[in-house]
Amino acid sequence: MRIAELSRESGVPIPTIKYYLREGLIPAGERTSPNQAQYDARHLRRLRLIRALIDVGGVPVAGIRELLDSIDAKGENLHNALGTATHATLAAAEQGPPTPSQARAGIELDALMAERDWDSDSARARQMVINALATFFDLGEDDLAVLLPVYADAAALVAEAEVGLVSSRSDVDSAVEGAVIGTVIGEQVWAGLRRLAQEHYSNKINTTGPDEGRDDRP
Amino acid sequence: MRIAELSRESGVPIPTIKYYLREGLIPAGERTSPNQAQYDARHLRRLRLIRALIDVGGVPVAGIRELLDSIDAKGENLHNALGTATHATLAAAEQGPPTPSQARAGIELDALMAERDWDSDSARARQMVINALATFFDLGEDDLAVLLPVYADAAALVAEAEVGLVSSRSDVDSAVEGAVIGTVIGEQVWAGLRRLAQEHYSNKINTTGPDEGRDDRP
């Protein structure tokens, strides 16, 4: 197909496709004349993958190349692919010595991981947890931090199922691709379900009357 | 304290503070002269809250006002506050008829919710789950969608604990504030822990040798 059809099929505007081509995020088409190239199903799939990672997964464009490199690296193993997915989608930790709240959060996270025998060392994932926990402390919402083991139970439940599922794929390259996509998109599935579950449980607890307060809003 | 000290204490630059003042995100200080105003601990706390929601929680500035209004509405109930948190932090669903994948995802989500008796109707949370599930289908990663019940178990585990914790606070305004902060920041705690747990479980399964593949990277 020509670029116009690739654009129609994928819903991605032609200038955006040309940008991805220039950046090497999608492979060049097959030249059929000096001004024309042909594209096929692989290009379409790659384009859909890029848009899903950006639009649904919220991955910054800068992280896309790293994810695609990981997916494309033949013989890449699942463990490394998961590491890449974490690295490419989580912002780098800010430099600087930890604040007192971050130091306290680090101690709590270390204790949790030791208790559960988690041998993980992703600096970016650690920093994400520490910064969020430290925020509870900084805002005087210390009691929210007691949920740390509950968050960890839920995270372990999901992670074990995810790793088990993708590692059972017979083709390692397909497992790697599933790991990257599942990590990025699965987060959105969980986050949406959590909001729905919150609504369900707060419905059950809600005793202050129907929609009071909301009426006062501008 | 004067604005310079407020800036120093909070780490927020003076022009940003002035922007928040103009936008009414933080209340005006007490004027002590035509060119000076005094700020207190409430201003500092509000500033820290705004920065935490933006920097740690990733809330778009546009969603901040809605969250703050919810926190400030005296007598607001927990259920409404959670609804506001969902509304303010999740992007509006795109218009347009559902794609076949989205229609299929909607059916799967409805079945899941009926099975669990979830009586939630947040359109934004629903759309978030549906779009993510539909992405699995569109990318030919259908098997990842079988994890839906696992994601739901994990979401329910977290949501029930969260709602139980904040609703047990004796002061309803404090419960509302905890619900908003917990919803936004707790998501980051869970997401970081999931990556650490993935690393742990993939370490256990990883059998293709230490860091093969990674060595080939540029």
Side-chain angles (χ1 to χ4, degrees):
Chain A
M1 70 188 98
R2 286 163 56 180
I3 196 166
E5 195 185 340
L6 185 62
S7 169
R8 242 189 340 267
E9 285 287 316
S10 63
V12 180
I14 293 178
T16 307
I17 298 179
K18 288 187 171 168
Y19 168 72
Y20 294 157
L21 284 164
R22 277 199 307 277
E23 292 289 314
L25 298 182
I26 50 179
E30 196 186 334
R31 287 249 157 252
T32 51
S33 84
N35 292 318
Q36 268 185 32
Q38 285 288 322
Y39 302 90
D40 59 25
R42 287 172 309 132
H43 294 92
L44 184 57
R45 184 178 153 70
R46 174 55 53 107
L47 215 41
R48 286 194 173 132
L49 174 59
I50 294 171
R51 292 315 306 179
L53 293 172
I54 294 174
D55 294 339
V56 181
V59 177
V61 178
I64 294 292
R65 183 190 306 275
E66 209 179 341
L67 291 182
L68 295 177
D69 283 350
S70 177
I71 287 176
D72 291 341
K74 292 290 161 200
E76 169 77 295
N77 72 41
L78 180 64
H79 186 67
N80 288 347
L82 284 165
T84 302
T86 291
H87 192 265
T89 54
L90 304 186
E94 271 185 38
Q95 300 302 317
T99 65
S101 293
Q102 286 170 342
R104 178 177 159 202
I107 291 169
E108 295 213 5
L109 177 58
D110 286 340
L112 177 95
M113 290 184 56
E115 224 174 78
R116 287 163 196 250
D117 253 333
W118 285 5
D119 52 354
S120 330
D121 55 11
S122 160
R124 293 192 179 189
R126 271 186 63 84
Q127 203 60 48
M128 189 176 186
V129 177
I130 288 172
N131 288 350
L133 267 188
T135 299
F136 288 148
F137 301 145
D138 286 335
L139 296 176
E141 303 277 348
D142 299 49
D143 65 335
L144 293 177
V146 307
L147 294 180
L148 186 63
V150 180
Y151 289 123
D153 286 344
L157 190 66
V158 162
E160 185 166 21
E162 288 173 325
V163 171
L165 182 72
V166 296
S167 66
S168 70
R169 291 188 182 180
S170 53
D171 173 30
V172 66
D173 292 332
S174 154
V176 163
E177 187 165 327
V180 170
I181 294 170
T183 295
V184 174
I185 307 299
E187 191 161 310
Q188 306 296 314
V189 176
W190 182 83
L193 289 170
R194 168 177 173 246
R195 306 301 183 95
L196 293 172
Q198 282 182 339
E199 202 181 333
H200 168 67
Y201 287 111
S202 73
N203 248 337
K204 295 210 295 190
I205 280 175
N206 184 25
T207 51
T208 57
D211 282 354
E212 279 172 25
R214 191 170 276 275
D215 298 334
D216 300 324
R217 297 244 192 106
Chain B
M1 71 189 96
R2 287 166 53 181
I3 196 165
E5 195 185 340
L6 186 63
S7 169
R8 238 186 345 264
E9 284 289 316
S10 64
V12 180
I14 293 178
T16 307
I17 297 178
K18 288 187 171 168
Y19 169 72
Y20 294 157
L21 284 165
R22 277 197 308 277
E23 292 289 313
L25 298 182
I26 49 179
E30 197 187 335
R31 287 250 157 253
T32 49
S33 83
N35 293 317
Q36 267 184 32
Q38 284 289 322
Y39 301 91
D40 59 27
R42 286 172 311 131
H43 294 92
L44 183 58
R45 184 177 153 71
R46 173 56 53 109
L47 213 42
R48 286 195 173 131
L49 175 60
I50 294 171
R51 294 313 309 179
L53 293 171
I54 294 174
D55 295 339
V56 181
V59 176
V61 178
I64 294 292
R65 183 189 307 275
E66 210 178 341
L67 291 182
L68 295 179
D69 282 350
S70 177
I71 287 176
D72 290 340
K74 292 291 160 201
E76 168 76 296
N77 72 39
L78 180 64
H79 186 66
N80 288 348
L82 283 165
T84 302
T86 291
H87 192 268
T89 54
L90 303 186
E94 271 185 38
Q95 300 301 316
T99 65
S101 293
Q102 286 169 342
R104 179 178 159 201
I107 291 168
E108 295 213 5
L109 176 58
D110 286 339
L112 177 96
M113 289 183 56
E115 227 174 76
R116 288 163 195 249
D117 254 333
W118 285 5
D119 51 354
S120 329
D121 55 12
S122 160
R124 294 192 178 189
R126 271 187 63 83
Q127 202 59 48
M128 188 176 186
V129 176
I130 288 172
N131 287 351
L133 267 187
T135 300
F136 288 149
F137 302 144
D138 285 335
L139 296 176
E141 303 277 347
D142 299 49
D143 65 335
L144 293 178
V146 306
L147 294 181
L148 186 63
V150 180
Y151 289 123
D153 287 344
L157 190 67
V158 162
E160 185 167 19
E162 288 173 326
V163 171
L165 182 72
V166 296
S167 66
S168 71
R169 291 188 183 180
S170 55
D171 173 31
V172 66
D173 293 332
S174 153
V176 163
E177 185 165 329
V180 170
I181 295 171
T183 295
V184 174
I185 307 298
E187 191 162 311
Q188 306 296 315
V189 175
W190 182 83
L193 288 170
R194 168 179 174 244
R195 307 301 184 94
L196 293 171
Q198 282 183 338
E199 202 182 334
H200 168 67
Y201 288 110
S202 74
N203 247 337
K204 296 210 296 190
I205 279 174
N206 183 24
T207 51
T208 58
D211 283 355
E212 277 173 27
R214 193 170 276 276
D215 297 335
D216 300 322
R217 298 244 192 105

